[in-house]
Amino acid sequence: MRTSLLIDGDLVDGGAGGFDTINPATEEVLGQVADGDVDDMDRAIAAARTAFDDTDWSRDTALRVHCLRQLRDALVDEIEHLRSITVAEVGAPVALTYGGQLQMPVDGLGYIADLAESYEWTTDLGMAAPFGKPTRRTVVREPCGVVGAVTPWNFPHQINFAKLGPALAAGNTVVLKPAPDTPWCAAEIGRIIKDRTDFPAGVVNIVTSSDHRIGAQLTEDPRVDLVSFTGSTATGRVVMAAASQTVKKVFLELGGKSAYIVLDDADLPAACAAAAAGVAMHAGQGCAFTTRLLVPRAHYDEAVATASAAMSGIGCGDPADPGTLCGPLISSRQRDRVEGYLTLAIAEGGWFGCGGGRPAGRDRGFYIEPTVIGGLTNEARVAREEIFGPVLVVLAHDGDADAVRLANDSPYGLSGAVVGADQNRVDWVAARLRTGTVNVNGGVWYAADAPFGGYKQSGIGREMGLAGFEEYLETKLLAKGVQ
């Protein structure tokens, strides 16, 4: 396997040659991916700028809708090929590719095409007479221009399409820079766009690269009007600072350390099992996973034991096995990072209810056992910092108000959950959580038409839904004098 860059409508080699993409479950090389350099990124930005400024793409809604539906249909046609790539390169359990890892993001392109087709691009504000001058006012929504999209490796299809779909539907042109850990997933999108759709040259450009600095070009280049970034909060700060030099719009979807609150009238075993499964899924590599389990202090030991039993039963396995929920971490670097936090947990006074290291009998692959940590307070670094591994920290609370206090005592505010028998109490807690999404008694917040994003240091703006579409629009007021 060898992939190409998509620049100005052509599939081309990377200026820096190629680099290996690795199967995280086996550590085997899957193939060579085109390695873009600074000149490739410069040409991609120039192509996107020209396509926006000198063609009718931004004004031709029907063409945009047509191209997005073509892309969705082509992706559906090749879904099994894409599924195999996702399992091999991302290490995503195959069962998850029928949901958020692949199938749902692809289907979501249909939603965004329908939205663009029915969207009210203009709003009549009616007549007014400021300073005595009769004036008809119209609000017009227009695309921002060139969008630089920088995406991570954990859910590559979900995040690539959550940026490409609305940005293109809104009339922007795009330069996509995917993570170097999962470039094959993005490169296949480029191939399909080139071979099977009518997207005009330069509207979509995809630059895979082993060099993280290539993405920085998008934040610094004045030809780029908006940067849409998903990744760590630390990198998000860098993106925000760099973008400020040209005062470009910024969308940031960043980290999380979300709380799963169990009230004292909840079904404790069911809640603990659900929390464990939520963190073990995809080896905990999800920014919105609820990685802090807050339980009543009187039932703390029972909660740790129950969550540990559930985690131990999940285990970790081959992502190609339909029964696997927890596969490998993405890389040896990420495994080292998670192991560092496990060491820190013991140093901070915690203990393992289960897990705590590499699974026995797996000499290949970047695996970590699903782990439950007890004995810590919310002040511990392991309870406050994003680990991005299959690690659940169990904390004790002293009632509903204290649970809210602990949940909100975090620099993040991305997600959360609350379960209990008394719906009034559950609603009281949910209303006070400072997070962008809340799972209330098992409700599912993920869907193409539902906005996703965070409070505080979890980001700026919303992705998906109407709110996510409108992130890629500017607002213009036309004021026409009437004689």
Side-chain angles (χ1 to χ4, degrees):
M1 177 273 295
R2 187 175 180 88
T3 71
S4 302
L5 311 179
L6 177 63
I7 299 178
D8 201 15
D10 292 322
L11 297 174
V12 298
D13 293 334
F19 67 102
D20 293 340
T21 185
I22 306 296
N23 184 326
T26 65
E27 304 181 44
E28 295 173 344
V29 173
L30 295 168
Q32 280 270 306
V33 181
D35 199 359
D37 61 15
V38 294
D39 291 334
D40 293 321
M41 181 58 79
D42 182 73
R43 289 190 298 113
I45 294 171
R49 185 78 262 167
T50 297
F52 184 81
D53 292 340
D54 297 343
T55 76
D56 289 331
W57 172 259
S58 64
R59 291 170 290 277
D60 194 339
T61 303
L63 175 61
R64 302 199 301 269
V65 170
H66 164 72
C67 290
L68 284 167
R69 288 175 177 158
Q70 272 188 321
L71 177 58
R72 177 204 56 198
D73 293 346
L75 293 165
V76 169
D77 284 347
E78 298 200 30
I79 202 75
E80 294 308 321
H81 170 61
L82 295 171
R83 195 185 318 282
S84 65
I85 290 172
T86 308
V87 173
E89 184 178 57
V90 185
V94 66
L96 303 184
T97 65
Y98 293 90
Q101 276 287 7
L102 178 60
Q103 206 107 31
M104 290 179 71
V106 168
D107 292 342
L109 292 174
Y111 161 80
I112 204 68
D114 292 346
L115 177 59
E117 189 172 49
S118 63
Y119 189 69
E120 295 292 335
W121 297 92
T122 62
T123 304
D124 184 3
L125 290 186
M127 292 290 296
F131 306 105
K133 176 64 177 178
T135 304
R136 176 168 293 282
R137 292 89 39 80
T138 305
V139 175
V140 180
R141 302 307 302 274
E142 298 181 338
C144 293
V146 175
V147 170
V150 183
T151 58
W153 43 260
N154 57 324
F155 282 79
H157 297 298
Q158 161 56 36
I159 301 169
N160 288 341
F161 292 136
K163 297 185 189 302
L164 286 172
L168 294 168
N172 301 280
T173 57
V174 181
V175 180
L176 172 64
K177 164 60 175 71
D181 301 276
T182 52
W184 192 10
C185 289
E188 286 299 280
I189 299 171
R191 176 189 61 80
I192 290 170
I193 287 173
K194 167 65 176 176
D195 293 345
R196 304 193 57 180
T197 75
D198 297 323
F199 279 98
V203 167
V204 185
N205 305 272
I206 300 175
V207 181
T208 57
S209 177
S210 62
D211 187 352
H212 287 277
R213 294 172 297 176
I214 298 297
Q217 282 182 253
L218 291 169
T219 65
E220 297 164 358
D221 196 303
R223 294 171 295 178
V224 176
D225 300 292
L226 182 153
V227 172
S228 183
F229 170 81
T230 298
S232 71
T233 295
T235 305
R237 294 189 190 101
V238 175
V239 170
M240 194 173 185
S244 71
Q245 299 305 303
T246 50
V247 198
K248 55 172 56 76
K249 291 183 69 174
V250 175
F251 167 83
L252 302 174
E253 197 274 284
L254 306 176
K257 192 72 175 182
S258 303
Y260 190 115
I261 298 173
V262 183
L263 303 186
D264 59 15
D265 63 348
D267 182 336
L268 185 67
C272 291
V279 173
M281 181 174 63
H282 191 31
Q285 297 170 116
C287 54
F289 292 177
T290 45
T291 52
R292 290 182 295 155
L293 177 60
L294 275 55
V295 300
R297 190 175 300 278
H299 302 288
Y300 184 80
D301 291 343
E302 179 187 356
V304 173
T306 302
S308 299
M311 279 284 215
S312 298
I314 293 168
C316 55
D318 180 356
D321 183 339
T324 294
L325 181 66
C326 180
L329 296 170
I330 190 65
S331 64
S332 60
R333 180 182 64 256
Q334 182 62 18
R335 183 177 60 186
D336 290 346
R337 184 176 187 272
V338 173
E339 288 179 324
Y341 275 107
L342 296 178
T343 300
L344 177 62
I346 301 302
E348 290 186 310
W351 43 274
F352 300 135
C354 69
R358 302 184 187 187
R362 288 198 173 273
D363 299 327
R364 304 287 290 176
F366 309 123
Y367 289 93
I368 287 288
E369 297 171 295
T371 299
V372 172
I373 298 174
L376 297 177
T377 68
N378 201 50
E379 285 67 45
R381 281 181 57 196
V382 173
R384 300 190 70 80
E385 298 178 9
E386 188 173 44
I387 297 174
F388 234 58
V391 181
L392 180 66
V393 179
V394 186
L395 304 170
H397 70 74
D398 295 308
D400 298 4
D402 190 50
V404 170
R405 179 188 66 81
L406 289 169
N408 289 338
D409 181 16
S410 169
Y412 301 112
L414 188 55
S415 183
V418 54
V419 294
D422 186 332
Q423 191 64 52
N424 289 329
R425 288 175 60 195
V426 170
D427 291 342
W428 186 92
V429 170
R432 286 159 177 77
L433 295 180
R434 297 279 296 161
T435 65
T437 63
V438 184
N439 168 331
V440 179
N441 272 337
V444 177
W445 47 258
Y446 173 69
D449 63 344
F452 173 72
Y455 291 19
K456 300 186 283 185
Q457 293 185 35
S458 286
I460 297 172
R462 291 295 179 271
E463 204 149 59
M464 302 197 301
L466 176 62
F469 173 70
E470 291 184 333
E471 290 286 348
Y472 295 95
L473 295 174
E474 293 279 18
T475 301
K476 176 187 285 182
L477 176 68
L478 297 178
K480 298 181 180 179
V482 178
Q483 301 301 322

